[in-house]
Amino acid sequence: MRISELSRRTGVPVATIKFYLREGLLPAGTPTGRNQAQYDEFHERRLLFIRALTGIGELELSTVSGLLSAIEQRNSLPALYRAANRAAQPHLDTTKTVNDVVPERTDVDRFIADLGWQVNADVPGRERLAQVLASLRELGCGFGVDFFRPYAELAEGFAAQQLSMIPEEGQVDGAAAVARAVLLDVAIAALCGMAQEHLVAKRFGKSN
Amino acid sequence: MRISELSRRTGVPVATIKFYLREGLLPAGTPTGRNQAQYDEFHERRLLFIRALTGIGELELSTVSGLLSAIEQRNSLPALYRAANRAAQPHLDTTKTVNDVVPERTDVDRFIADLGWQVNADVPGRERLAQVLASLRELGCGFGVDFFRPYAELAEGFAAQQLSMIPEEGQVDGAAAVARAVLLDVAIAALCGMAQEHLVAKRFGKSN
């Protein structure tokens, strides 16, 4: 198909497609003339992937580019999930976070060990959890890390549910796994927000 | 205390504090001289709140400013939760999302009704969930909305756990409720990310 048809099918403007071609996010089409090229379903799928992850997934284009490289290199599924996880939860800008987070880091490490979770030392969630605890303590509305135990069990339920979609046998579709990992995070946040609004309204009324 | 002491206690640079004063995010101190003013614990708490929500909470300063207004106007708790929810999950940039989302919107409305969730028509999660479903369908790895049912039950568990922290009686601390709502979202995402890495490693090995 020509670039105009590719644009029509994906909803991505021609100028944006040309930008992706220049930036190497999209491989060149097959030349059919001096200024024309043919594109195929691979290009279409790739564009839909980029649009999904930069749109509803709200990732930066550079982050999506990194994920595409990881998929093309046929990285293992654990590596792809780690990449998707780090894309959705980048390392924190430490100039804006709490400095005195040492006790909370120890608490979080112990908490993760108690859960039996085998996660890398540099998993972003570790520091994020410690920062949440330290911030709430500073604000005078903190609590101990064990408050998170039921949350952790629910999180494992989410993860198990998501993993149940991956077939036991056969080739895993890396792009599908990454897209689901990123977009299901968005879905979880959406569901948590709605559940909260529902329960708050139920308890306190819909006033105001 | 003087501005230098306020900066030392909160870790917020003096220049940033002066910026917040100019922008009205922080009320002026009590003047004690031509170029000096005294600040108190109210200023300290307010600065810690701003730092927590712009730092680990990753909200824009303008969004935090809106939340502070809602807190100062002593909005009801449901209104504060709605504001916090919309701050963490702003409305989507529709130029970057899927256009053909009509069937998914109907599915999501039916799904929410089935759950018995009483949420406003404009709750951002509604459109976000529909966009996730439509994007995954377009990518060829979609599923029906009922896939989310166990997720929804887990989300209600999260919300109930969070609400259990609010005392039944007495004055609710609006700032604490908002800070917890925003930061617990961060904590949930962190826990989900770690649970996923753990289960993926358990099933597929830590290779690569």
Side-chain angles (χ1 to χ4, degrees), chain B residues 4-5 15 22 28 36 38 44 60 77 88 98 110 118 130-131 141 145 149 157 159 166 174 185 187 194 196 203:
Chain B
S4 53
E5 169 71 4
R22 282 197 304 277
Q36 282 191 4
Q38 281 288 320
E44 187 181 344
E60 300 287 334
L77 209 59
V98 177
R110 195 259 308 148
Q118 301 203 357
Q131 287 284 345
C141 57
V145 68
R149 181 165 275 275
I166 302 173
D185 273 0
M194 287 194 286
Q196 190 183 71
R203 181 162 149 194

Side-chain angles (χ1 to χ4, degrees), chain A residues 103-127:
Chain A
E104 280 82 5
R105 282 195 189 119
T106 309
D107 290 348
V108 167
D109 284 349
R110 196 259 308 149
F111 177 73
I112 290 173
D114 282 357
L115 287 168
W117 282 1
Q118 300 202 1
V119 288
N120 282 9
D122 72 334
V123 66
R126 204 184 277 269
E127 179 69 9

Side-chain angles (χ1 to χ4, degrees), chain B residues 142-154:
Chain B
F143 39 77
V145 68
D146 290 309
F147 171 83
F148 285 127
R149 181 165 275 275
Y151 281 72
E153 283 159 15
L154 293 168

Side-chain angles (χ1 to χ4, degrees), chain A residues 9-11 45 48-49 51-56 58-59 74-79 81-82 84-86 89-90 92 95-99 108 111-112 115-120 123-129 131-132 135-136 138-139 141-143 147-169 172 175-176 179-181 183-208, chain B residues 9-11 45 48-49 51-56 58-59 74-79 81-82 85-86 89-90 92 95-99 108 111-112 115-120 123-129 131-132 135-136 138-139 141-143 146-169 172 175-176 179-181 183-208:
Chain A
R9 283 208 204 181
T10 59
R45 275 201 310 276
L48 291 175
F49 180 87
R51 194 183 59 168
L53 270 66
T54 56
I56 176 75
E58 297 184 89
L59 297 186
R74 300 191 159 275
N75 283 351
S76 69
L77 208 59
Y81 273 107
R82 277 201 299 277
N85 191 358
R86 278 154 184 70
Q89 296 177 36
L92 294 163
T95 62
K96 287 177 137 189
T97 52
V98 177
N99 295 316
V108 167
F111 177 73
I112 290 173
L115 287 168
W117 282 1
Q118 300 202 1
V119 288
N120 282 9
V123 66
R126 204 184 277 269
E127 179 69 9
R128 284 175 171 262
L129 210 54
Q131 288 285 345
V132 166
S135 296
L136 291 175
E138 278 197 345
L139 289 169
C141 57
F143 40 76
F147 172 83
F148 285 126
R149 182 166 274 276
Y151 281 71
E153 284 160 14
L154 293 168
E156 242 188 275
F158 276 133
Q161 158 98 351
Q162 190 179 334
L163 270 187
S164 71
M165 283 193 298
I166 302 174
E168 286 289 335
E169 304 277 329
V172 168
R180 280 176 170 163
L183 298 196
L184 285 180
D185 272 0
V186 176
I188 289 172
L191 287 165
C192 288
M194 287 194 285
Q196 189 183 72
E197 281 201 29
H198 164 61
L199 289 188
V200 170
K202 207 165 112 179
R203 181 162 150 194
F204 295 94
K206 276 206 152 188
S207 63
N208 202 332
Chain B
R9 283 209 205 181
T10 59
R45 275 202 310 276
L48 291 175
F49 180 88
R51 194 183 58 167
L53 270 66
T54 56
I56 176 75
E58 298 184 89
L59 297 185
R74 300 188 157 276
N75 283 353
S76 69
L77 209 59
Y81 273 108
R82 276 202 299 278
N85 191 357
R86 279 155 184 69
Q89 294 176 37
L92 293 163
T95 62
K96 288 176 136 189
T97 53
V98 177
N99 295 318
V108 168
F111 177 73
I112 291 172
L115 288 167
W117 283 0
Q118 301 203 357
V119 287
N120 282 9
V123 66
R126 203 183 278 269
E127 178 69 9
R128 284 174 171 262
L129 210 54
Q131 287 284 345
V132 166
S135 296
L136 290 175
E138 277 197 345
L139 289 169
C141 57
F143 39 77
D146 290 309
F147 171 83
F148 285 127
R149 181 165 275 275
Y151 281 72
E153 283 159 15
L154 293 168
E156 244 189 274
F158 276 135
Q161 158 98 350
Q162 189 178 335
L163 270 187
S164 70
M165 282 194 297
I166 302 173
E168 285 289 336
E169 303 277 329
V172 168
R180 280 176 170 162
L183 298 196
L184 285 180
D185 273 0
V186 176
I188 288 171
L191 286 166
C192 288
M194 287 194 286
Q196 190 183 71
E197 281 202 27
H198 165 60
L199 289 188
V200 171
K202 207 165 110 178
R203 181 162 149 194
F204 295 92
K206 277 206 153 192
S207 63
N208 201 331

